[in-house]
Amino acid sequence: MADEQKPTPENMTMLQGFEWYVPADQKHWTRLEKHVPQLKAWGVDNIWIPPACKASSNQGNGYDIYDLYDLGEFDQKGSVATKWGTKASLLQLCRTAQKHGVGLYFDAVLNHKFAADRKEKCLAVEVDPNDRNKETSDKYEIEAWVGFDFPGRGERYSGMKYHWYHFSGVDYNARNEKTAIYKIMGDKSQGWAEDGDVDGEKGNYDFLMGSDLDYAHPEVSSDVLAWGSWLAEQLPLSGIRFDAIKHYSEDFLRKFITTLDERYGGGWFFVGEFWKDSLDDMTRYLERMGRKFSLFDAPLVYNFSQISKASGADLRGVFEDTLVSVMPVNAVTLVMNHDTQPYQALEAPIEGWFKPLAYTLILLRDTGYPCLWYGDLYGIKGEHPFPPSCGGALPKLALARKLYSYGKQADYFDYATCLGWVRYGTWDRRYGCAVVMSNAGPGEKRMHVGEMHAGEVWTDVLGWSDREVTIGDDGFGDFVCGQTSVSVFVNRDADGREKFAEKFDDNIYEE
């Protein structure tokens, strides 16, 4: 007797649940919590939340991290709450997410610390910013902000206090008020991480910013490993996003992940920010990690940026030299994030008209784990505000992924400025979809969706094309899109089509 067919796994989509300029009003957890049911209904399964640990002030996004063990619980650095809110409101977000089947990914900032409580004297040498292995001064005594006592928290959760010998480098000498990159020297300091344990850019890219943690020191590694288990007990998480992983020990990160897997069943998702436009470096890093680990596909973001700015660029090269093209299981695909958004250091501009095409390319194909961005879904605040992008199409594209983007894929990449592809569906998710996009004039593709759909009428779920396509007896249809646009065709009678007529509420800041 033949085995019963297994259900088709459901497509998963994640959301980066913040942008750099979210108002610092300590209400972000509450706003996000209210939108969890809607996000789930439109196809979001997991949310990457911003760094929830206490920053250098209640205005800081958390990458200027002060205390790992303060999730908005203690009166430190000017307030109890972080920029995002209190620990109580974070726990409420967790409860609501659990109720609606949405996982949360924690943003772990483990490379450095900021806003020390006091200065300490230590020996250091200055190094060349472009080659950190090249010393540019003799060893001399500096006064560095490296004393962390956490007076607002005291001994709660961890008794570890940080001193100069727990750090490998700093960027400021308070004695002469000089800014430079200082490598800390001393009997208990190991200097920079060993070659091969961090990225080799700039000679040795151990130092990034602030007070750089030295994971060769056993007290540092023990405390941060203990924090990982503490975090898992405090919050019902589904995974972790690791910040700046090319700047600290690969060996420590493997140990951190292994520890969590062994203690909590191995079901967490782990993704690292290895932001570099080098496919070779990314694949080598993944091979060295030696386990289920993912990276954000930075080369794909740069491809999107370049194609969007070049009139009539060849769309067929959009996946060249990208992580998703060679290691699709390990690739988190994205269009923009908090580092590449406008006015940020790694800004990678993507023209507004191209964003719907870019999101279609990550959401409706058969490879990669796509990540939506809060700024595109809800807009950007701050001094240079931007409205939500994609003309209302982004929630619909996420929903189309959840409902229809299944099964075998057939590509129609035969024309430089007009791409098409078909997803044939599966035995239990049978509707499938047909996609056409153009970065020039109106596009048209004759594509095969299958004889099983003969006689069906397919229409664009985005509503950007009014073409009704009747599928022929041979399974073919003539699908179209507008100028510099995209269309996603699905059987007009398919289950779930009524949802596309609803309005997604993108006004997350409404009181």
Side-chain angles (χ1 to χ4, degrees):
M1 183 176 177
D3 292 338
E4 292 185 6
Q5 290 177 297
K6 295 181 179 179
T8 304
E10 190 174 17
N11 286 333
M12 295 288 109
T13 301
M14 65 184 284
L15 166 72
Q16 178 181 355
F18 63 103
E19 55 96 9
W20 193 261
Y21 302 108
V22 166
D25 57 5
Q26 292 75 56
K27 297 179 181 178
H28 186 67
W29 298 141
T30 300
R31 283 191 293 263
L32 201 55
E33 185 252 332
K34 290 179 180 177
H35 276 245
V36 163
Q38 174 182 244
L39 290 168
K40 180 64 175 180
W42 286 84
V44 172
D45 304 284
N46 296 287
I47 301 174
W48 154 22
I49 61 174
C53 302
K54 187 61 60 70
S56 62
S57 77
N58 60 10
Q59 308 293 304
N61 283 331
Y63 299 103
D64 53 336
I65 185 169
Y66 167 68
D67 186 0
L68 280 170
Y69 289 93
D70 185 355
L71 302 178
E73 184 178 4
F74 303 98
D75 190 355
Q76 301 189 110
K77 298 305 170 184
S79 70
V80 172
T82 67
K83 170 181 175 175
W84 316 107
T86 63
K87 183 178 180 181
S89 59
L90 174 58
L91 287 169
Q92 181 58 42
L93 167 62
C94 291
R95 287 190 287 269
T96 298
Q98 274 192 312
K99 176 182 176 181
H100 292 276
V102 174
L104 297 181
Y105 299 155
F106 194 93
D107 198 331
V109 183
L110 306 182
N111 177 67
H112 50 262
K113 286 185 177 293
F114 274 83
D117 300 303
R118 54 186 171 77
K119 296 174 285 187
E120 291 185 352
K121 296 177 181 178
C122 58
L123 296 175
V125 296
E126 298 177 29
V127 301
D128 185 338
N130 295 311
D131 183 356
R132 280 76 182 285
N133 291 323
K134 182 180 179 181
E135 298 177 1
T136 59
S137 77
D138 294 331
K139 181 167 60 175
Y140 67 99
E141 188 176 77
I142 68 171
E143 289 187 23
W145 288 97
V146 287
F148 290 81
D149 297 325
F150 315 113
R153 176 170 58 81
E155 302 293 313
R156 186 78 182 274
Y157 303 133
S158 170
M160 173 76 170
K161 312 300 179 185
Y162 283 78
H163 303 286
W164 68 267
Y165 47 82
H166 294 126
F167 300 94
S168 59
V170 293
D171 57 6
Y172 180 72
N173 177 8
R175 174 169 291 182
N176 61 6
E177 299 183 340
K178 182 177 180 179
T179 298
I181 298 179
Y182 299 90
K183 181 170 64 173
I184 294 176
M185 311 290 285
D187 294 340
K188 295 183 179 180
S189 175
Q190 304 298 313
W192 301 142
E194 295 182 3
D195 290 343
D197 207 27
V198 294
D199 193 62
E201 190 179 343
K202 299 183 185 295
N204 182 305
Y205 221 165
D206 189 349
F207 184 85
L208 175 64
M209 62 176 71
S211 301
D212 189 75
L213 287 164
D214 181 6
Y215 281 102
H217 197 295
E219 291 178 356
V220 175
S221 58
S222 294
D223 187 53
V224 179
L225 285 173
W227 172 80
S229 296
W230 172 85
L231 180 69
E233 298 293 337
Q234 295 290 308
L235 304 177
L237 300 173
S238 296
I240 296 181
R241 180 264 187 189
F242 295 96
D243 184 59
I245 60 172
K246 67 180 182 179
H247 302 285
Y248 65 91
S249 168
E250 292 179 22
D251 181 62
F252 171 77
L253 183 55
R254 278 192 295 270
K255 188 180 300 182
F256 186 95
I257 290 170
T258 299
T259 300
L260 286 179
D261 266 355
E262 290 175 350
R263 292 181 181 176
Y264 301 101
W268 284 26
F269 173 75
F270 299 110
V271 58
E273 182 224 4
F274 188 98
W275 202 262
K276 193 172 185 179
D277 193 12
S278 170
L279 180 60
D280 289 343
D281 287 349
M282 298 180 82
T283 55
R284 282 195 294 266
Y285 186 93
L286 285 168
E287 289 164 359
R288 290 194 301 269
M289 287 303 289
R291 56 149 286 125
K292 56 170 192 179
F293 192 76
S294 297
L295 296 178
F296 293 98
D297 197 343
L300 180 61
V301 172
Y302 291 118
N303 283 2
F304 286 156
S305 178
Q306 291 166 8
I307 289 174
S308 80
K309 292 181 288 186
S311 177
D314 193 336
L315 284 173
R316 294 171 296 185
V318 67
F319 292 112
E320 287 182 4
D321 297 321
T322 61
L323 186 61
V324 73
S325 67
V326 296
M327 300 182 75
V329 174
N330 305 92
V332 173
T333 52
L334 69 164
V335 176
M336 189 165 282
N337 69 14
H338 65 290
D339 284 324
T340 68
Q341 75 177 85
Y343 304 100
Q344 285 301 297
L346 298 175
E347 181 178 357
I350 296 175
E351 297 297 321
W353 67 266
F354 189 76
K355 280 194 174 181
L357 282 68
Y359 273 110
T360 302
L361 285 161
I362 69 171
L363 286 165
L364 299 185
R365 294 182 61 77
D366 61 358
T367 52
Y369 180 15
C371 180
L372 312 180
W373 181 54
Y374 181 100
D376 284 327
L377 196 59
Y378 292 112
I380 300 173
K381 291 292 188 179
E383 186 178 351
H384 306 280
F386 290 83
S389 70
C390 300
L394 188 49
K396 294 180 179 180
L397 287 169
L399 184 61
R401 170 179 173 78
K402 177 64 67 176
L403 296 177
Y404 310 126
S405 188
Y406 295 93
K408 181 181 176 182
Q409 180 172 287
D411 287 336
Y412 293 77
F413 283 29
D414 53 329
Y415 195 75
T417 59
C418 183
L419 303 184
W421 68 88
V422 168
R423 300 297 302 276
Y424 279 100
T426 63
W427 73 273
D428 56 342
R429 299 182 182 273
R430 62 188 181 83
Y431 292 107
C433 62
V435 178
V436 184
M437 65 173 57
S438 169
N439 66 336
E444 183 169 355
K445 293 284 186 185
R446 181 170 176 78
M447 299 189 295
H448 181 263
V449 298
E451 290 83 350
M452 63 283 200
H453 297 296
E456 294 178 357
V457 177
W458 288 33
T459 58
D460 179 14
V461 298
L462 303 180
W464 289 354
S465 171
D466 59 5
R467 171 75 67 92
E468 293 186 348
V469 179
T470 301
I471 309 302
D473 291 341
D474 57 0
F476 278 86
D478 296 314
F479 301 96
V480 300
C481 70
Q483 178 178 328
T484 59
S485 187
V486 60
S487 292
V488 179
F489 286 86
V490 175
N491 183 341
R492 67 180 179 188
D493 296 321
D495 293 342
R497 281 299 301 257
E498 70 284 351
K499 179 71 177 177
F500 292 87
E502 298 177 12
K503 186 182 186 306
F504 181 87
D505 177 13
D506 58 19
N507 189 8
I508 198 170
Y509 296 102
E510 184 178 16
E511 294 295 335

PDB file of all heavy atoms in Angstrom, residues 372-393:
ATOM      1  N   LEU A 372      10.366  40.637   6.013  1.00  0.00           N
ATOM      2  CA  LEU A 372       9.789  41.946   5.748  1.00  0.00           C
ATOM      3  C   LEU A 372      10.428  42.969   6.686  1.00  0.00           C
ATOM      4  O   LEU A 372      10.965  42.614   7.732  1.00  0.00           O
ATOM      5  CB  LEU A 372       8.277  41.931   5.982  1.00  0.00           C
ATOM      6  CG  LEU A 372       7.451  40.805   5.369  1.00  0.00           C
ATOM      7  CD1 LEU A 372       5.981  40.982   5.718  1.00  0.00           C
ATOM      8  CD2 LEU A 372       7.645  40.746   3.872  1.00  0.00           C
ATOM      9  N   TRP A 373      10.320  44.238   6.317  1.00  0.00           N
ATOM     10  CA  TRP A 373      10.881  45.283   7.162  1.00  0.00           C
ATOM     11  C   TRP A 373       9.799  46.235   7.642  1.00  0.00           C
ATOM     12  O   TRP A 373       8.964  46.690   6.859  1.00  0.00           O
ATOM     13  CB  TRP A 373      11.965  46.047   6.407  1.00  0.00           C
ATOM     14  CG  TRP A 373      12.609  47.119   7.224  1.00  0.00           C
ATOM     15  CD1 TRP A 373      13.182  46.974   8.458  1.00  0.00           C
ATOM     16  CD2 TRP A 373      12.733  48.498   6.885  1.00  0.00           C
ATOM     17  NE1 TRP A 373      13.656  48.186   8.911  1.00  0.00           N
ATOM     18  CE2 TRP A 373      13.395  49.151   7.960  1.00  0.00           C
ATOM     19  CE3 TRP A 373      12.358  49.262   5.774  1.00  0.00           C
ATOM     20  CZ2 TRP A 373      13.687  50.512   7.954  1.00  0.00           C
ATOM     21  CZ3 TRP A 373      12.650  50.615   5.770  1.00  0.00           C
ATOM     22  CH2 TRP A 373      13.311  51.225   6.851  1.00  0.00           C
ATOM     23  N   TYR A 374       9.816  46.513   8.933  1.00  0.00           N
ATOM     24  CA  TYR A 374       8.859  47.398   9.594  1.00  0.00           C
ATOM     25  C   TYR A 374       8.728  48.735   8.876  1.00  0.00           C
ATOM     26  O   TYR A 374       7.624  49.266   8.706  1.00  0.00           O
ATOM     27  CB  TYR A 374       9.338  47.590  11.032  1.00  0.00           C
ATOM     28  CG  TYR A 374       8.489  48.465  11.927  1.00  0.00           C
ATOM     29  CD1 TYR A 374       7.608  47.891  12.843  1.00  0.00           C
ATOM     30  CD2 TYR A 374       8.615  49.849  11.911  1.00  0.00           C
ATOM     31  CE1 TYR A 374       6.865  48.682  13.703  1.00  0.00           C
ATOM     32  CE2 TYR A 374       7.873  50.641  12.766  1.00  0.00           C
ATOM     33  CZ  TYR A 374       6.995  50.065  13.658  1.00  0.00           C
ATOM     34  OH  TYR A 374       6.260  50.853  14.504  1.00  0.00           O
ATOM     35  N   GLY A 375       9.839  49.318   8.444  1.00  0.00           N
ATOM     36  CA  GLY A 375       9.806  50.619   7.781  1.00  0.00           C
ATOM     37  C   GLY A 375       9.055  50.610   6.472  1.00  0.00           C
ATOM     38  O   GLY A 375       8.452  51.618   6.078  1.00  0.00           O
ATOM     39  N   ASP A 376       9.095  49.480   5.759  1.00  0.00           N
ATOM     40  CA  ASP A 376       8.331  49.362   4.522  1.00  0.00           C
ATOM     41  C   ASP A 376       6.863  49.079   4.802  1.00  0.00           C
ATOM     42  O   ASP A 376       5.982  49.476   4.032  1.00  0.00           O
ATOM     43  CB  ASP A 376       8.922  48.257   3.642  1.00  0.00           C
ATOM     44  CG  ASP A 376      10.201  48.686   2.946  1.00  0.00           C
ATOM     45  OD1 ASP A 376      10.318  49.880   2.613  1.00  0.00           O
ATOM     46  OD2 ASP A 376      11.087  47.840   2.745  1.00  0.00           O
ATOM     47  N   LEU A 377       6.582  48.397   5.896  1.00  0.00           N
ATOM     48  CA  LEU A 377       5.212  48.033   6.228  1.00  0.00           C
ATOM     49  C   LEU A 377       4.460  49.186   6.903  1.00  0.00           C
ATOM     50  O   LEU A 377       3.294  49.457   6.585  1.00  0.00           O
ATOM     51  CB  LEU A 377       5.219  46.813   7.147  1.00  0.00           C
ATOM     52  CG  LEU A 377       3.921  46.032   7.318  1.00  0.00           C
ATOM     53  CD1 LEU A 377       3.411  45.498   5.988  1.00  0.00           C
ATOM     54  CD2 LEU A 377       4.140  44.883   8.298  1.00  0.00           C
ATOM     55  N   TYR A 378       5.151  49.879   7.820  1.00  0.00           N
ATOM     56  CA  TYR A 378       4.488  50.913   8.619  1.00  0.00           C
ATOM     57  C   TYR A 378       5.030  52.324   8.394  1.00  0.00           C
ATOM     58  O   TYR A 378       4.473  53.286   8.928  1.00  0.00           O
ATOM     59  CB  TYR A 378       4.621  50.583  10.107  1.00  0.00           C
ATOM     60  CG  TYR A 378       3.841  49.362  10.530  1.00  0.00           C
ATOM     61  CD1 TYR A 378       4.492  48.203  10.931  1.00  0.00           C
ATOM     62  CD2 TYR A 378       2.447  49.369  10.541  1.00  0.00           C
ATOM     63  CE1 TYR A 378       3.777  47.083  11.347  1.00  0.00           C
ATOM     64  CE2 TYR A 378       1.724  48.257  10.949  1.00  0.00           C
ATOM     65  CZ  TYR A 378       2.398  47.112  11.345  1.00  0.00           C
ATOM     66  OH  TYR A 378       1.687  46.011  11.744  1.00  0.00           O
ATOM     67  N   GLY A 379       6.097  52.452   7.643  1.00  0.00           N
ATOM     68  CA  GLY A 379       6.680  53.759   7.423  1.00  0.00           C
ATOM     69  C   GLY A 379       7.831  54.066   8.363  1.00  0.00           C
ATOM     70  O   GLY A 379       8.081  53.341   9.335  1.00  0.00           O
ATOM     71  N   ILE A 380       8.545  55.144   8.065  1.00  0.00           N
ATOM     72  CA  ILE A 380       9.715  55.568   8.828  1.00  0.00           C
ATOM     73  C   ILE A 380       9.406  56.888   9.517  1.00  0.00           C
ATOM     74  O   ILE A 380       8.860  57.803   8.915  1.00  0.00           O
ATOM     75  CB  ILE A 380      10.932  55.733   7.893  1.00  0.00           C
ATOM     76  CG1 ILE A 380      11.261  54.409   7.182  1.00  0.00           C
ATOM     77  CG2 ILE A 380      12.151  56.242   8.663  1.00  0.00           C
ATOM     78  CD1 ILE A 380      12.331  54.550   6.118  1.00  0.00           C
ATOM     79  N   LYS A 381       9.796  56.979  10.783  1.00  0.00           N
ATOM     80  CA  LYS A 381       9.624  58.214  11.538  1.00  0.00           C
ATOM     81  C   LYS A 381      10.934  59.012  11.524  1.00  0.00           C
ATOM     82  O   LYS A 381      11.818  58.759  10.722  1.00  0.00           O
ATOM     83  CB  LYS A 381       9.189  57.896  12.968  1.00  0.00           C
ATOM     84  CG  LYS A 381       7.776  57.343  13.058  1.00  0.00           C
ATOM     85  CD  LYS A 381       6.736  58.390  12.699  1.00  0.00           C
ATOM     86  CE  LYS A 381       5.332  57.932  12.964  1.00  0.00           C
ATOM     87  NZ  LYS A 381       4.330  58.959  12.626  1.00  0.00           N
ATOM     88  N   GLY A 382      11.062  59.960  12.429  1.00  0.00           N
ATOM     89  CA  GLY A 382      12.291  60.718  12.551  1.00  0.00           C
ATOM     90  C   GLY A 382      12.295  62.005  11.754  1.00  0.00           C
ATOM     91  O   GLY A 382      11.266  62.472  11.260  1.00  0.00           O
ATOM     92  N   GLU A 383      13.502  62.564  11.605  1.00  0.00           N
ATOM     93  CA  GLU A 383      13.657  63.858  10.932  1.00  0.00           C
ATOM     94  C   GLU A 383      13.302  63.803   9.462  1.00  0.00           C
ATOM     95  O   GLU A 383      12.884  64.802   8.869  1.00  0.00           O
ATOM     96  CB  GLU A 383      15.101  64.338  11.112  1.00  0.00           C
ATOM     97  CG  GLU A 383      15.369  65.730  10.583  1.00  0.00           C
ATOM     98  CD  GLU A 383      16.793  66.172  10.819  1.00  0.00           C
ATOM     99  OE1 GLU A 383      17.529  65.469  11.549  1.00  0.00           O
ATOM    100  OE2 GLU A 383      17.178  67.223  10.269  1.00  0.00           O
ATOM    101  N   HIS A 384      13.470  62.645   8.850  1.00  0.00           N
ATOM    102  CA  HIS A 384      13.171  62.461   7.423  1.00  0.00           C
ATOM    103  C   HIS A 384      12.150  61.334   7.273  1.00  0.00           C
ATOM    104  O   HIS A 384      12.501  60.220   6.892  1.00  0.00           O
ATOM    105  CB  HIS A 384      14.441  62.144   6.642  1.00  0.00           C
ATOM    106  CG  HIS A 384      15.534  63.148   6.829  1.00  0.00           C
ATOM    107  ND1 HIS A 384      15.550  64.347   6.162  1.00  0.00           N
ATOM    108  CD2 HIS A 384      16.642  63.126   7.607  1.00  0.00           C
ATOM    109  CE1 HIS A 384      16.631  65.025   6.514  1.00  0.00           C
ATOM    110  NE2 HIS A 384      17.309  64.317   7.393  1.00  0.00           N
ATOM    111  N   PRO A 385      10.888  61.595   7.571  1.00  0.00           N
ATOM    112  CA  PRO A 385       9.889  60.520   7.559  1.00  0.00           C
ATOM    113  C   PRO A 385       9.554  60.041   6.149  1.00  0.00           C
ATOM    114  O   PRO A 385       9.625  60.800   5.179  1.00  0.00           O
ATOM    115  CB  PRO A 385       8.671  61.176   8.218  1.00  0.00           C
ATOM    116  CG  PRO A 385       8.840  62.641   7.957  1.00  0.00           C
ATOM    117  CD  PRO A 385      10.314  62.893   7.980  1.00  0.00           C
ATOM    118  N   PHE A 386       9.210  58.754   6.071  1.00  0.00           N
ATOM    119  CA  PHE A 386       8.768  58.143   4.816  1.00  0.00           C
ATOM    120  C   PHE A 386       7.490  57.366   5.092  1.00  0.00           C
ATOM    121  O   PHE A 386       7.371  56.717   6.137  1.00  0.00           O
ATOM    122  CB  PHE A 386       9.826  57.183   4.272  1.00  0.00           C
ATOM    123  CG  PHE A 386      11.067  57.836   3.764  1.00  0.00           C
ATOM    124  CD1 PHE A 386      12.082  58.198   4.634  1.00  0.00           C
ATOM    125  CD2 PHE A 386      11.235  58.090   2.411  1.00  0.00           C
ATOM    126  CE1 PHE A 386      13.239  58.797   4.170  1.00  0.00           C
ATOM    127  CE2 PHE A 386      12.394  58.692   1.933  1.00  0.00           C
ATOM    128  CZ  PHE A 386      13.404  59.044   2.827  1.00  0.00           C
ATOM    129  N   PRO A 387       6.537  57.380   4.171  1.00  0.00           N
ATOM    130  CA  PRO A 387       5.320  56.591   4.350  1.00  0.00           C
ATOM    131  C   PRO A 387       5.602  55.119   4.069  1.00  0.00           C
ATOM    132  O   PRO A 387       6.679  54.757   3.566  1.00  0.00           O
ATOM    133  CB  PRO A 387       4.381  57.180   3.296  1.00  0.00           C
ATOM    134  CG  PRO A 387       5.297  57.638   2.203  1.00  0.00           C
ATOM    135  CD  PRO A 387       6.528  58.143   2.905  1.00  0.00           C
ATOM    136  N   PRO A 388       4.659  54.231   4.365  1.00  0.00           N
ATOM    137  CA  PRO A 388       4.820  52.824   3.979  1.00  0.00           C
ATOM    138  C   PRO A 388       5.091  52.704   2.482  1.00  0.00           C
ATOM    139  O   PRO A 388       4.588  53.496   1.680  1.00  0.00           O
ATOM    140  CB  PRO A 388       3.476  52.197   4.359  1.00  0.00           C
ATOM    141  CG  PRO A 388       2.941  53.083   5.430  1.00  0.00           C
ATOM    142  CD  PRO A 388       3.397  54.469   5.088  1.00  0.00           C
ATOM    143  N   SER A 389       5.900  51.728   2.109  1.00  0.00           N
ATOM    144  CA  SER A 389       6.261  51.561   0.704  1.00  0.00           C
ATOM    145  C   SER A 389       5.355  50.547   0.012  1.00  0.00           C
ATOM    146  O   SER A 389       4.458  49.975   0.626  1.00  0.00           O
ATOM    147  CB  SER A 389       7.720  51.115   0.588  1.00  0.00           C
ATOM    148  OG  SER A 389       7.870  49.793   1.041  1.00  0.00           O
ATOM    149  N   CYS A 390       5.585  50.352  -1.247  1.00  0.00           N
ATOM    150  CA  CYS A 390       4.941  49.318  -2.067  1.00  0.00           C
ATOM    151  C   CYS A 390       3.467  49.598  -2.363  1.00  0.00           C
ATOM    152  O   CYS A 390       2.751  48.711  -2.852  1.00  0.00           O
ATOM    153  CB  CYS A 390       5.077  47.928  -1.433  1.00  0.00           C
ATOM    154  SG  CYS A 390       6.775  47.397  -1.208  1.00  0.00           S
ATOM    155  N   GLY A 391       2.979  50.801  -2.082  1.00  0.00           N
ATOM    156  CA  GLY A 391       1.618  51.150  -2.449  1.00  0.00           C
ATOM    157  C   GLY A 391       0.561  50.220  -1.911  1.00  0.00           C
ATOM    158  O   GLY A 391      -0.457  49.952  -2.565  1.00  0.00           O
ATOM    159  N   GLY A 392       0.775  49.705  -0.701  1.00  0.00           N
ATOM    160  CA  GLY A 392      -0.190  48.789  -0.097  1.00  0.00           C
ATOM    161  C   GLY A 392      -0.045  47.340  -0.529  1.00  0.00           C
ATOM    162  O   GLY A 392      -0.822  46.482  -0.090  1.00  0.00           O
ATOM    163  N   ALA A 393       0.959  47.042  -1.349  1.00  0.00           N
ATOM    164  CA  ALA A 393       1.095  45.684  -1.886  1.00  0.00           C
ATOM    165  C   ALA A 393       1.800  44.727  -0.929  1.00  0.00           C
ATOM    166  O   ALA A 393       1.626  43.511  -1.038  1.00  0.00           O
ATOM    167  CB  ALA A 393       1.861  45.718  -3.209  1.00  0.00           C
TER     168      ALA A 393
END
